């Protein structure tokens, strides 16, 4: 107690003798704090931008090493298959994962863009119309991903810089030619300032691919989606209520209860057995029309959930299938089978293409899982689906000791609430051979 009293007395005496020194020290610390917060590349500044835009805080990964980060592992199969939404809450910080496959996946995406540009990128005429709500939603997603999420979550991998010729840009890793963005800078009108007249960072530097990208969305929605689809390994689908896409139809409250969401724009580089061009502009029920019993089991609950999902909440679900001889890009079939027989009665047999064990190429057989996330954009209130597709060699699943579990899950496609899933997932084709391998 005597020591504490002596310390307090000495502190008071110091302040009385040197008041100007104390004031100077406090002022210096305050000014230094203001200086740090005002720096364009400050993560704190970016985080505040995310919060001001209506997003939850994003946790930075300061020591992130993408080259040693393994892909997420999912084993979502169960003994019986039941068609449910199966949603769980998601932390915004994990919205866009990056792992050691990032660079090779981006190269694959670039090749798909060259071969199938109209398949992997889709925009309705409304979404291409500047000033429309759909066009604004594309812009909002673009600016969130490039201007907020990536530099916040992965500092050092994605950095905000003032211009392509800045010192930050010139010191980047020597992994390839940087994109020329000087023309885009002028065309996009990137000279934007905040209310406090501080100049915003205007370019995102990707230090893995050495690309400089404007953080403000280009005028063309297709161009914006092309950038999004080749800078992250995610597929994006943007949906809006029908009543907010076209002209008003009447009472807004009544429409909110019965409104249907329509697909207005997308990037799908890894479509799972369907051509997304055929889904563009269609409602959710129409999009899910091939899914067995969707209308009776999921349509109403999904419509209600979509209408009520609030800004700031992120959810996810994971599905699974087994693929044989199919790439990540599967726009023209190979993953889903015929489900026109709604009774679910068996129609199999070797004549229908049942694969024998001797015909199974184990090295070309995979467990395919889609991590699907959903959230609402704060400004336009559009809904955004993101899909990250993972493939795991069937050999790996067996080596993990999960062969019997997956074999039971394959049988469970016929024994669950929607037995037609056996046909929809093409279990009638590969099921016998894959089960034999897993149990062998």
């Amino acid at each position: 107690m005597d020591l504490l009293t002596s310390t307090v007395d000495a502190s008071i005496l110091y302040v009385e003798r040197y008041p100007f020194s104390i004031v100077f020290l406090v002022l210096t610390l305050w000014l230094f704090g203001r200086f740090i917060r005002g720096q364009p590349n400050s993560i704190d500044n970016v985080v505040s931008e995310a919060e001001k835009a209506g997003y939850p805080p994003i946790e930075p990964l300061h020591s992130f090493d993408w080259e040693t980060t393994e892909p997420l592992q999912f084993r979502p199969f169960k003994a019986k298959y039941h068609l449910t939404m199966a949603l769980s809450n998601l932390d915004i910080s994990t919205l866009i994962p990056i792992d050691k496959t990032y660079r090779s996946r981006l190269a694959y995406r670039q090749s798909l863009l060259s071969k199938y540009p109209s398949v992997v990128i889709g925009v309705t005429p409304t979404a291409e119309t500047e000033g429309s709500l759909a066009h604004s939603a594309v812009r909002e997603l673009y600016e969130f991903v490039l201007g907020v999420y990536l530099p916040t979550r992965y500092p050092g991998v994605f950095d905000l810089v003032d211009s392509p010729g800045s010192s930050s840009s010139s010191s980047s890793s020597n992994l390839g030619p940087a994109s020329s963005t000087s023309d885009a800078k002028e065309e996009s009108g990137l000279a934007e300032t905040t209310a406090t007249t501080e100049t915003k960072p205007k370019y995102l530097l990707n230090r893995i691919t050495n690309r400089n990208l404007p953080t403000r969305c280009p005028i063309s929605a297709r161009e914006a989606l092309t950038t999004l689809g080749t800078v992250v390994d995610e597929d994006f689908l943007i949906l809006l209520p029908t009543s907010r896409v076209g002209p008003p139809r009447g009472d807004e409250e009544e429409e909110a209860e019965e409104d249907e969401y329509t697909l207005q724009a997308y990037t799908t580089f890894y479509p799972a057995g369907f051509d997304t061009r055929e889904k563009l502009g269609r409602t959710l029920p129409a999009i899910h029309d091939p899914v067995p019993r969707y209308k009776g089991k999921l349509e109403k609950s999904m419509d209600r959930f979509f209408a009520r999902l609030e800004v700031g909440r992120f959810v996810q679900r994971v599905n699974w299938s087994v693929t044989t001889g199919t790439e990540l890009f599967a726009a023209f079939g190979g993953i889903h089978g015929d489900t026109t027989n709604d009774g679910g009665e068996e129609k199999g047999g070797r004549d229908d293409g049942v694969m024998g064990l001797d015909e199974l190429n184990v090295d070309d057989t995979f467990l395919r899982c889609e991590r699907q996330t959903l959230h609402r954009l704060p400004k336009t209130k559009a809904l955004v689906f993101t899909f990250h597709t993972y493939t795991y060699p069937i050999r790996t699943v067996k080596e993990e000791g999960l062969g019997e579990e997956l074999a039971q899950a394959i049988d469970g496609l016929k024994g669950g609430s929607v037995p037609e899933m056996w046909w929809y997932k093409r279990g009638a084709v590969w099921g016998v051979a894959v089960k034999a391998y897993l149990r062998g």
Side-chain angles (χ1 to χ4, degrees):
M1 192 65 180
D2 292 340
L3 178 60
L4 177 61
T5 302
S6 300
T7 302
V8 172
D9 290 342
S11 300
I12 294 174
L13 181 61
Y14 183 86
V15 171
E16 290 177 346
R17 287 185 177 180
Y18 306 103
F20 293 108
S21 299
I22 298 299
V23 171
F24 178 78
L25 177 61
V26 171
L27 181 60
T28 300
L29 291 174
W30 179 77
L31 290 173
F32 180 74
R34 286 290 301 273
F35 173 78
I36 292 297
R37 287 193 297 272
Q39 292 305 297
N41 290 329
S42 170
I43 288 300
D44 291 336
N45 191 47
V46 179
V47 171
S48 68
E49 288 296 323
E51 293 171 340
K52 283 190 293 185
Y55 297 100
I58 301 169
E59 180 183 356
L61 293 177
H62 292 290
S63 57
F64 178 73
D65 184 355
W66 70 277
E67 293 182 291
T68 60
T69 300
E70 294 291 334
L72 296 177
Q73 299 293 307
F74 294 106
R75 303 292 184 265
F77 42 80
K78 297 181 179 180
K80 286 189 177 182
Y81 184 92
H82 295 289
L83 186 62
T84 63
M85 292 176 66
L87 296 173
S88 60
N89 288 326
L90 177 74
D91 186 341
I92 185 177
S93 300
T94 62
L95 179 65
I96 300 178
I98 292 178
D99 56 52
K100 65 183 185 181
T101 67
Y102 174 73
R103 183 152 46 186
S104 61
R105 286 282 192 105
L106 289 199
Y108 181 55
R109 283 174 168 263
Q110 196 64 50
S111 69
L112 293 174
L113 180 65
S114 300
K115 294 178 183 177
Y116 312 105
S118 64
V119 179
V120 299
I121 305 291
V123 187
T124 62
T126 302
E128 263 302 22
T129 304
E130 188 177 3
S132 69
L133 187 65
H135 185 271
S136 298
V138 173
R139 293 181 62 89
E140 186 177 8
L141 177 63
Y142 177 101
E143 292 173 358
F144 165 65
V145 174
L146 269 69
V148 176
Y149 187 89
L150 292 177
T152 306
R153 179 61 172 169
Y154 304 104
V157 176
F158 300 96
D159 289 333
L160 294 176
V161 297
D162 287 333
S163 68
S166 68
S167 58
S168 297
S169 174
S170 62
S171 63
S172 61
S173 55
N174 186 22
L175 296 176
S179 300
S180 175
T181 52
S182 57
D183 294 338
K185 179 179 179 181
E186 293 181 5
E187 293 174 3
S188 302
L190 294 173
E192 181 181 355
T193 58
T194 65
T196 59
T197 70
E198 293 179 357
T199 303
K200 282 186 177 181
K202 300 177 183 66
Y203 284 85
L204 178 75
L205 171 61
N206 183 340
R207 293 187 177 277
I208 300 177
T209 61
N210 202 28
R211 291 176 68 188
N212 272 297
L213 300 166
T215 60
R216 185 175 178 182
C217 185
I219 294 176
S220 167
R222 181 174 292 276
E223 182 183 346
L225 292 169
T226 298
T227 299
L228 278 174
T230 55
V231 76
V232 291
D233 191 29
E234 303 290 313
D235 288 335
F236 297 98
L237 290 86
I238 299 176
L239 300 97
L240 282 169
T242 304
S243 63
R244 300 188 68 197
V245 175
R249 298 178 302 178
D251 183 74
E252 292 185 0
E253 291 186 2
E254 182 178 345
E255 289 174 357
E257 291 294 324
E258 301 179 0
D259 216 347
E260 294 180 315
Y261 277 81
T262 60
L263 178 61
Q264 292 297 308
Y266 70 80
T267 67
T268 51
F269 287 71
Y270 308 144
F274 56 87
D275 188 339
T276 320
R277 290 176 296 185
E278 300 173 359
K279 312 289 186 180
L280 192 61
R282 304 182 71 184
T283 63
L284 271 180
I287 290 172
H288 288 91
D289 184 62
V291 179
R293 301 199 190 185
Y294 171 84
K295 185 175 181 63
K297 290 187 171 294
L298 278 186
E299 182 177 330
K300 289 184 178 179
S301 58
M302 279 193 67
D303 288 345
R304 284 195 299 267
F305 185 84
F306 273 45
R308 298 173 182 176
L309 182 66
E310 63 272 18
V311 171
R313 184 184 178 192
F314 294 72
V315 296
Q316 73 169 356
R317 68 184 297 271
V318 181
N319 64 17
W320 71 273
S321 60
V322 173
T323 63
T324 57
T326 304
E327 294 184 24
L328 279 168
F329 176 83
F332 310 122
I335 292 182
H336 298 136
D338 182 16
T339 59
T340 55
N341 192 345
D342 290 336
E345 56 266 33
E346 292 187 7
K347 54 179 181 179
R350 183 166 292 277
D351 291 340
D352 284 340
V354 176
M355 182 184 297
L357 180 58
D358 58 331
E359 302 172 277
L360 180 68
N361 182 351
V362 174
D363 294 329
D364 206 17
T365 303
F366 296 87
L367 172 69
R368 179 180 176 126
C369 297
E370 285 182 345
R371 177 187 184 251
Q372 305 171 354
T373 73
L374 178 68
H375 71 278
R376 190 182 296 280
L377 297 175
K379 294 179 182 177
T380 59
K381 302 301 187 292
L383 287 177
V384 178
F385 268 115
T386 68
F387 292 75
H388 194 117
T389 305
Y390 296 90
T391 57
Y392 312 101
I394 200 75
R395 190 187 303 277
T396 299
V397 177
K398 182 177 181 179
E399 291 172 352
E400 292 172 348
L402 299 177
E404 179 58 30
E405 285 189 33
L406 180 53
Q408 291 180 14
I410 293 171
D411 281 330
L413 293 174
K414 293 185 290 186
S417 60
V418 184
E420 296 89 345
M421 279 295 169
W422 173 249
W423 310 109
Y424 183 65
K425 291 181 179 288
R426 298 183 76 240
V429 175
W430 48 256
V432 172
V434 172
K435 286 189 297 180
Y437 167 74
L438 292 171
R439 288 169 167 159

